[in-house]
Amino acid sequence: DNSHHHTSSGNVLRLALAANAVLLVVQVIGALAFSSLALLADAGHQGTDVVALLIAVVAQVVATRAPSGNYTFGLRRAEVMGALLNAVMLLAVAAWVVVEASRRIGDPPEVSGWGVLVLGAAGLLVNGGCALLLHRSADRSLNVRGAALHLMGDAASAVGVVVAGVAVVLWSAGWVHPAVSYPIAGPPPWPGGG
């Protein structure tokens, strides 16, 4: 039944929120410690994940409230508004990453390839795992599907961070970090992605 789907996806949303909040803190510390723009760009996306997942959790709670005299259809639009706010945040982060990558591409800082590689792999596991759990929750709401797509996009971004780490470890190619940041800033390659 519908309340069971909301409970199941609500639990997964809360788990994803906690995992992404921890990953955000680790990525910010790692980005600063390793001087990695690719990690910083991914941390920017991670920050939007945390906010988007928080919005998704709140929107889901609000949307399940019963109709009242003022809200005769309930508050189901809260989930749609959560998805819209999520998209706006992604656009803002993308703009910031493009500006920062353009500034650094001519003079890339020294980067710790192994640190970037390990944190990129962690991002891939957390975002990919949470996206898979949300997809399997069987919730058909726009809110939950938007959160799952957002996490899949960030899993793809984490692949870019891994590529940047490998480039530094194997070839000392520090320029790859700002170059990889451009596609990380872009929207996912599937229709309606973001």
Side-chain angles (χ1 to χ4, degrees):
D1 80 4
N2 196 33
S3 64
H4 172 71
H5 289 320
H6 274 289
T7 303
S8 171
S9 61
N11 291 338
V12 175
L13 279 171
R14 285 188 282 281
L15 172 68
L17 175 59
N20 278 273
V22 170
L23 182 61
L24 172 62
V25 171
V26 171
Q27 281 187 328
V28 168
I29 291 169
L32 297 174
F34 306 137
S35 299
S36 170
L37 179 61
L39 266 178
L40 202 55
D42 201 31
H45 272 276
Q46 202 61 38
T48 66
D49 271 354
V50 170
V51 173
L53 287 166
L54 182 60
I55 290 167
V57 167
V58 170
Q60 190 174 55
V61 168
V62 168
T64 58
R65 288 190 179 161
S68 67
N70 290 335
Y71 301 101
T72 55
F73 292 103
L75 295 168
R76 296 209 180 272
R77 283 189 220 140
E79 289 185 307
V80 175
M81 294 307 294
L84 176 62
L85 186 54
N86 184 4
V88 169
M89 287 187 310
L90 274 176
L91 288 173
V93 168
W96 174 80
V97 169
V98 166
V99 168
E100 189 64 20
S102 299
R103 192 175 70 76
R104 291 188 184 196
I105 202 156
D107 186 24
E110 189 72 24
V111 175
S112 168
W114 282 110
V116 170
L117 181 58
V118 167
L119 289 181
L124 181 58
L125 288 172
V126 168
N127 287 309
C130 290
L132 183 63
L133 287 173
L134 278 175
H135 179 71
R136 288 186 173 176
S137 75
D139 189 329
R140 301 289 178 234
S141 77
L142 179 61
N143 184 44
V144 173
R145 285 185 295 180
L149 279 174
H150 191 130
L151 289 168
M152 283 192 288
D154 283 347
S157 296
V159 170
V161 174
V162 169
V163 167
V166 168
V168 171
V169 168
L170 296 182
W171 303 290
S172 299
W175 63 268
V176 173
H177 278 82
V180 163
S181 298
Y182 288 112
I184 289 174
W190 50 80

